[in-house]
Amino acid sequence: MQDTRRTDMKLLEGGVLKEAEETIKADHVGNNPETDSDSATALQLFLDRIPINNSIPGIKNSPVVELKTGDTVKDAIEFLYSKNAFGAPIVDVLDPEIPLTRFPDGYIGFLDFATLVLWSLQNASKETGKGNFMSLLEKNPETGHTKVVGELAKSFLWNPFFPVRLEDTLFHVLLLISKHRIRVVPVIEQSNLKVTGFVTQNAVIQLLLQSDGLTWFDSIAEKPLSEFRFENESVSFVYGDDSIADALHVLFKSQTGAVAVIDRQTRMLIGSVRNGDVYLLLENDKIFRDRKVVTVEEFIRIETSNQDPNPTIERDMGALLSAGVLQLRNKYRPRMDSPVTNKKTDTLKEAMKNVARTKSDFCFQVDDSQHLLGILTLRDIILQFSPPSMNSNIDGGGFFETTLELTGCQIKGGTLVCDH
């Protein structure tokens, strides 16, 4: 297994990425009319030569579980928890009473465990006393018996289903992540139209970092964070003396996947509560029952330490090997009381390496005194390398601006304009 992993990494470092870079140089040096005339191809030239199946070796690491349109919220939570699954695609069972658009592959969306639990906590009106989380759903049937495609769909709490095929490229993945707010991209097996794995945002960051040292990448990634305008300029936070229930409420409302925890006296960042921590409410009944009295600071410090069983191989390969592993109990996730941070003076590349090394979905931006300034999500980073949308006001990231300049083209108002 170790030799296979090292071979996969070697293939990335000296194979598909280098070939793609050489293709750009070969196609756009000089004034070859045959290559220059097809200027629109420059839009996707580099990333469209990096196939998913060759560049992300861990894409089929774990079995894919599925939810069905007839499942209730209680059914879905129990199922995902028992399978240790972060989330699952929803399969349309073709119920004639469900007025949903049919898709050829049979999938209609993707729903994650944390969203289900947080939504349930917001909507359950009756408390359970000495019970656990599942007893809360039993005592509140109007919440627990809700169909996953009913109220949740109306509230836009599950993600639309935008898959790619194994033979598609990283270009397709970036298009989907930049245009739609999705955390994972399902990968469809063409032969049976079944989901065979997922491309995570972490895997995309890891793959982009394989271009470290290439001109097009460094021209963007070596800029300090202060020079970028990210979508999440403001960050949701709670104080350490607030309750766990307060933090979970803010986490649900913010929809950013993370809430910062700061000390009320010093205003310093001391931790975070993330979507990935929500499973602890089912893992520990005491935490669930005491969520309205136990402080967030106590909560982030009682988490058991995650021990890395094989740091040399797994840490080196990072998300490339775990791309298909969307687990609730993620042994590589940073502790809640050890938030991942960067400063505004750090470069984008330094932030990318930071989140890749720590397996984090985000990093907080802080000043020299650890005061909170903002949050940088993986999607914020990926958008800097994403293609411009030809049918919207999005102009895209710096990588494609650089690529288009090689052909004398640029994007103006969402339209491709060329000098020749």
Side-chain angles (χ1 to χ4, degrees):
M1 175 65 85
Q2 179 172 337
D3 291 340
T4 302
R5 291 173 178 175
R6 295 196 184 281
T7 300
D8 287 334
M9 181 60 81
K10 194 178 210 178
L11 182 135
L12 285 177
E13 292 175 343
V16 291
L17 293 177
K18 187 169 184 178
E19 178 184 339
E21 176 75 2
E22 292 301 320
T23 300
I24 286 183
K25 293 178 180 177
D27 283 356
H28 299 291
V29 173
N31 295 310
N32 187 326
E34 292 184 3
T35 56
D36 287 352
S37 61
D38 191 14
S39 55
T41 304
L43 184 65
Q44 54 181 303
L45 184 58
F46 186 86
L47 296 180
D48 215 16
R49 289 180 179 269
I50 305 176
I52 294 172
N53 57 350
N54 286 344
S55 58
I56 308 179
I59 208 165
K60 294 184 178 181
N61 266 14
S62 66
V64 175
V65 298
E66 298 175 343
L67 297 173
K68 296 180 176 58
T69 50
D71 290 340
T72 65
V73 168
K74 182 175 179 292
D75 293 334
I77 291 176
E78 285 182 321
F79 178 71
L80 293 176
Y81 182 72
S82 67
K83 297 296 183 181
N84 192 30
F86 159 83
I90 306 170
V91 181
D92 189 352
V93 294
L94 299 180
D95 186 340
E97 296 183 2
I98 301 176
L100 290 170
T101 303
R102 307 304 185 201
F103 294 89
D105 51 35
Y107 298 100
I108 63 171
F110 183 92
L111 191 57
D112 68 89
F113 176 85
T115 294
L116 286 166
V117 173
L118 292 171
W119 181 85
S120 299
L121 290 173
Q122 292 296 309
N123 287 274
S125 57
K126 301 175 184 177
E127 280 298 332
T128 61
K130 295 182 179 181
N132 57 21
F133 178 83
M134 298 312 299
S135 64
L136 177 73
L137 298 183
E138 293 168 0
K139 198 167 184 177
N140 293 269
E142 72 284 355
T143 298
H145 293 172
T146 297
K147 297 290 182 67
V148 294
V149 297
E151 194 63 34
L152 293 183
K154 294 176 185 177
S155 303
F156 301 101
L157 293 181
W158 48 262
N159 291 310
F161 191 81
F162 295 109
V164 293
R165 300 166 300 172
L166 275 172
E167 56 268 31
D168 286 334
T169 65
L170 186 59
F171 175 79
H172 295 82
V173 174
L174 287 184
L175 273 175
L176 292 173
I177 291 177
S178 60
K179 194 172 181 61
H180 307 284
R181 292 183 176 278
I182 52 178
R183 294 183 60 190
V184 296
V185 178
V187 180
I188 293 285
E189 187 74 57
Q190 187 65 25
S191 60
N192 57 15
L193 296 180
K194 287 288 187 180
V195 175
T196 187
F198 299 95
V199 178
T200 65
Q201 293 183 356
N202 302 79
V204 173
I205 296 294
Q206 289 277 357
L207 188 55
L208 287 171
L209 281 171
Q210 299 308 312
S211 295
D212 187 6
L214 299 181
T215 302
W216 70 263
F217 177 81
D218 287 350
S219 65
I220 302 303
E222 290 186 348
K223 293 180 180 179
L225 296 176
S226 58
E227 292 189 16
F228 294 91
R229 288 190 304 169
F230 300 114
E231 286 189 338
N232 298 293
E233 293 293 340
S234 59
V235 55
S236 300
F237 69 91
V238 293
Y239 293 110
D241 55 8
D242 288 331
S243 69
I244 299 174
D246 292 331
L248 295 175
H249 175 74
V250 175
L251 184 62
F252 176 77
K253 291 297 185 182
S254 69
Q255 297 291 304
T256 58
V259 172
V261 181
I262 63 177
D263 182 270
R264 190 181 293 272
Q265 300 300 322
T266 66
R267 303 286 170 162
M268 293 174 60
L269 177 69
I270 59 175
S272 67
V273 178
R274 307 149 299 190
N275 279 1
D277 303 313
V278 171
Y279 81 96
L280 292 171
L281 294 175
L282 279 76
E283 203 95 323
N284 189 323
D285 292 342
K286 190 175 189 311
I287 291 177
F288 168 73
R289 289 193 298 267
D290 296 342
R291 68 188 185 281
K292 293 186 178 181
V293 294
V294 174
T295 67
V296 184
E297 185 167 4
E298 291 175 291
F299 178 55
I300 64 176
R301 300 198 191 286
I302 62 175
E303 183 184 22
T304 56
S305 178
N306 293 323
Q307 297 298 322
D308 190 337
N310 192 354
T312 31
I313 296 299
E314 296 291 344
R315 291 284 182 185
D316 287 346
M317 293 301 292
L320 290 176
L321 280 174
S322 60
V325 183
L326 296 171
Q327 298 179 339
L328 288 179
R329 303 167 188 86
N330 185 339
K331 61 180 176 291
Y332 299 121
R333 185 181 295 119
R335 288 175 53 91
M336 288 188 283
D337 60 358
S338 300
V340 179
T341 62
N342 277 97
K343 297 178 181 177
K344 291 275 191 180
T345 53
D346 292 338
T347 65
L348 182 64
K349 184 191 296 186
E350 288 173 325
M352 292 173 71
K353 290 182 176 180
N354 196 12
V355 294
R357 177 183 56 82
T358 57
K359 309 297 183 295
S360 180
D361 294 331
F362 61 92
C363 65
F364 291 115
Q365 296 186 57
V366 297
D367 61 18
D368 291 337
S369 300
Q370 283 295 104
H371 294 153
L372 188 64
L373 299 177
I375 187 173
L376 178 62
T377 65
L378 298 186
R379 185 173 184 271
D380 288 329
I381 295 173
I382 292 171
L383 281 174
Q384 308 312 311
F385 302 95
S386 297
S389 173
M390 304 298 288
N391 299 313
S392 73
N393 293 323
I394 301 175
D395 285 339
F399 156 62
F400 274 90
E401 293 175 3
T402 303
T403 303
L404 290 171
E405 286 175 2
L406 294 173
T407 60
C409 300
Q410 57 183 308
I411 296 295
K412 289 185 177 180
T415 303
L416 184 66
V417 178
C418 299
D419 295 336
H420 50 76

